[in-house]
Every structure is written in C-alpha cells, then in structure tokens.
Amino acid sequence: MRTPSRPRRRLAALLTTLALVAATALTACGGEAADARGDDAPLRIGYQRFGGLSLVKARGDAKNVTWSLFESGPALTEALKAGSIDIGQTGEAPPVFAAAGKIPFSVVGTSQPIPQGEAVLVKAGSPYRSFADLRGRTVALNKGSNVHWLLVRLLEANKMTLSDINVKYLKPAEGRPAFDNGQVDAWIIWDPYFALAERPDVRVLADATGLASNREYVLAAPEAVKNRTDDVRAFLDTYRQTTDWGIAHPTERAAALAPELKIPLDVTTRALDRSAKPLAPVTPEIGAELQAIADSFVDLKLVPGPVDIAGRVDGRFNEAFR
C-alpha cells in the first residue's frame, strides 16, 4: 500500500486538529449554559472557520463576547438547541434542519449570494464531465449543511433523484481523506475546505452558480433577541462594519484571517476572493427563499414536515445590515 505523502499527512493532521478544537469549544460553551447569566454577561458567539465572524474575532473588534468554534452549521445549531450560544452563523440548509428539529432561533441577518463558494470536486483524471456522469457513483457531503441544498438542486437540474447516487455523509475532516484516497468519486464542499482541496489533480465539476444562493445566515437565540436586544444590535452592527472593512481591504483581510484559520495565505486569499460577500438585511423575499428550501427538503423526506422557516425571519435588526 502506498504511503501518504508528507503534505497529505500534514493536511490530515490539520483537519483532525480543527475538528477536535471545534468539539472542545462546543463542550466548553455547553458548560457555560448552566451558569446564571446576567444582562452584563458576554454575548456567546458561535462561529465557523472562515465565515465573516472569524474576521471579527481575528481583529478583536467585538467587546464583551466569548467565542466558540464549530466545524459546520449543524454542529452550531446543536449549540443553539443546548442554549450555549446566543448568536451564530451558518449556511442555508442548517436553519431548515434546525427548524425541523424544533430548535428555537430567529433568522436575523443574511448575506449577498455566494454561489462560487461551494462546489463539487472530482479527481482531474476522472471521466466525469457533468454531475449527471456521477449516476451510480459515491458522492460525499456534510449532512444538513449548505452543500446538502446544492446536492438537491444538482439532482433536480440533472433530472436525477437521491436513489441515482450513493450519498455518503461525511464531515469535512472525514470527507477530505475519503476523497483523496478514492473512497468516494466526488466531494461537495464549501470554502475554505474547497480552497484547501484545490490542486492540480483536482477538478471543479460544478459550483452553485444558477442553482443555489449559498447565503450566510445569522441566527440568534430567542432569549438574546428578547432580553438583550441592544447588545445583539450593537454586535451585529460591529459585524457588518468589520465585514465591510474586509471587502474594502482584501489584502489586509487575508493577512488577518490566515493565522486565525491556520491555513496558508494564498489559500485564504483565493477563498476570500470568491466567498466573502456583504451582509444583508432579512426581507420577506429571504423568508420565501428559505421556505422554498424547507419545502423541498420536506418533499424529499429529508426532514419531517411541515417546517415554517419563513416565520422565523426577524427583521428587527435590519438597520445593522444596511
């Protein structure tokens, strides 16, 4: 059996470490949920590696907050369920799965579309030239994450169903080695894991352009929205200002985030160039977009229905995103 190359061993170790850090953060913030919390207690922020909140953390722009890292949106929404975070950021599918699971939260913000920030990856030497060519093949993705919705849209666009492929649900730290070792034929993944996987022997089969918006969504716990409205509004205003600064200063943004993300500067720059977009207020149209996603998941019996996600959209903080 061929021994993995040193760069691959280093990358596997990095992904494993990040997963352990995320798990540790979840455990730590879970313990805090049992403590009595006053109005002056720090806001508890759940963030993912790479999202706009990472930049706020890296620059130290937000005061009186604590940070918990999560490997994916579904893990973050579980923290909302446990009452261990007040605000978090996910892609478009996790709020639907969370709502189906009766997890309490409000959708208080979003972003402009980011369709280029998620993609289907295959080996460069593979015979696959379109998603339809993956019929009967094994496709890996993180269940309940943004790429789950991309899978649904790809199947629809190619007149396929879930039974036409073998879906393997793997977290990012599991998906990369499975893809590298040929255990799956394709991997559907988002930035920065997408950017980390790009190399000469990997080819982008398709991204979400024309299929899925791949927006970022900001979720807030009901207690924080109700009891700490001013604190939430102030944090979201900082979040928007930092995001705007990063878009206006891409070189400085990448330099600030690369050490925070623990990935090379060139990879950080490439991912940010396509995936960092302005934040945006939530509107009835955003609610309708989320509801259409939820209805599709219910129709496919991927989540139990009915799911009212449009009713969770809360525009009281919209001024912070304008």
Side-chain angles (χ1 to χ4, degrees), residues 101-168:
K102 311 302 181 187
I103 296 175
F105 66 89
S106 297
V107 182
V108 298
T110 186
S111 73
Q112 297 298 324
I114 317 169
Q116 298 86 4
E118 57 181 356
V120 184
L121 304 182
V122 296
K123 293 296 180 62
S126 73
Y128 315 121
R129 292 294 178 266
S130 71
F131 189 81
D133 293 337
L134 292 172
R135 192 181 299 268
R137 302 298 181 177
T138 300
V139 178
L141 67 146
N142 193 84
K143 184 177 182 178
S145 65
N146 56 336
V147 291
H148 208 153
W149 175 235
L150 176 56
L151 171 65
V152 170
R153 296 291 289 127
L154 284 162
L155 291 171
E156 291 175 353
N158 289 276
K159 297 181 172 53
M160 297 165 65
T161 68
L162 283 167
S163 63
D164 289 321
I165 59 174
N166 175 28
V167 178
K168 196 165 187 177

Side-chain angles (χ1 to χ4, degrees), residues 23-317:
T24 301
L26 177 56
T27 302
C29 69
E32 188 180 340
D35 296 338
R37 293 181 52 78
D39 289 344
D40 59 347
L43 277 178
R44 301 163 300 171
I45 311 301
Y47 73 107
Q48 292 186 63
R49 188 169 172 252
F50 185 70
L53 290 176
S54 292
L55 185 59
V56 180
K57 179 179 183 294
R59 284 170 48 86
D61 288 343
K63 309 305 178 187
N64 198 31
V65 300
T66 58
W67 297 92
S68 296
L69 173 65
F70 299 90
E71 186 183 14
S72 65
L76 187 147
T77 58
E78 282 299 310
L80 279 170
K81 180 180 180 179
S84 54
I85 61 172
D86 300 308
I87 297 171
Q89 156 263 327
T90 77
E92 53 203 349
V96 172
F97 278 76
K102 311 302 181 187
I103 296 175
F105 66 89
S106 297
V107 182
V108 298
T110 186
S111 73
Q112 297 298 324
I114 317 169
Q116 298 86 4
E118 57 181 356
V120 184
L121 304 182
V122 296
K123 293 296 180 62
S126 73
Y128 315 121
R129 292 294 178 266
S130 71
F131 189 81
D133 293 337
L134 292 172
R135 192 181 299 268
R137 302 298 181 177
T138 300
V139 178
L141 67 146
N142 193 84
K143 184 177 182 178
S145 65
N146 56 336
V147 291
H148 208 153
W149 175 235
L150 176 56
L151 171 65
V152 170
R153 296 291 289 127
L154 284 162
L155 291 171
E156 291 175 353
N158 289 276
K159 297 181 172 53
M160 297 165 65
T161 68
L162 283 167
S163 63
D164 289 321
I165 59 174
N166 175 28
V167 178
K168 196 165 187 177
Y169 292 121
L170 298 174
K171 297 176 182 178
E174 302 165 330
R176 177 62 188 273
F179 178 67
D180 284 347
N181 297 329
Q183 297 171 337
V184 300
D185 298 291
W187 186 30
I188 312 181
I189 192 61
W190 65 90
D191 274 324
Y193 304 105
F194 170 16
L196 278 165
E198 287 182 289
R199 56 178 193 261
D201 65 335
V202 172
R203 175 161 44 87
V204 176
L205 189 66
D207 64 21
T209 301
L211 296 170
S213 295
N214 190 33
R215 297 180 191 271
E216 177 180 321
Y217 285 95
V218 184
L219 312 183
E223 294 79 7
V225 170
K226 178 182 177 182
N227 300 326
R228 305 193 61 181
T229 308
D230 291 342
D231 292 336
V232 171
R233 182 177 291 108
F235 176 80
L236 295 178
D237 189 59
T238 297
Y239 183 15
R240 191 262 306 160
Q241 290 181 45
T242 299
T243 300
D244 289 348
W245 173 88
I247 291 169
H249 301 84
T251 301
E252 294 91 334
R253 174 185 63 193
L257 270 178
E260 174 69 29
L261 302 175
K262 298 180 175 61
I263 60 178
L265 179 60
D266 63 326
V267 175
T268 303
T269 300
R270 182 169 66 250
L272 287 168
D273 284 348
R274 65 183 170 219
S275 290
K277 301 294 182 182
L279 296 172
V282 289
T283 62
E285 290 75 22
I286 292 296
E289 187 174 312
L290 274 172
Q291 191 61 52
I293 297 171
D295 293 344
S296 291
F297 278 125
V298 171
D299 290 344
L300 291 170
K301 296 181 170 48
L302 291 170
V303 299
V307 175
D308 176 18
I309 189 72
R312 292 172 179 260
V313 171
D314 187 338
R316 77 180 71 189
F317 302 105

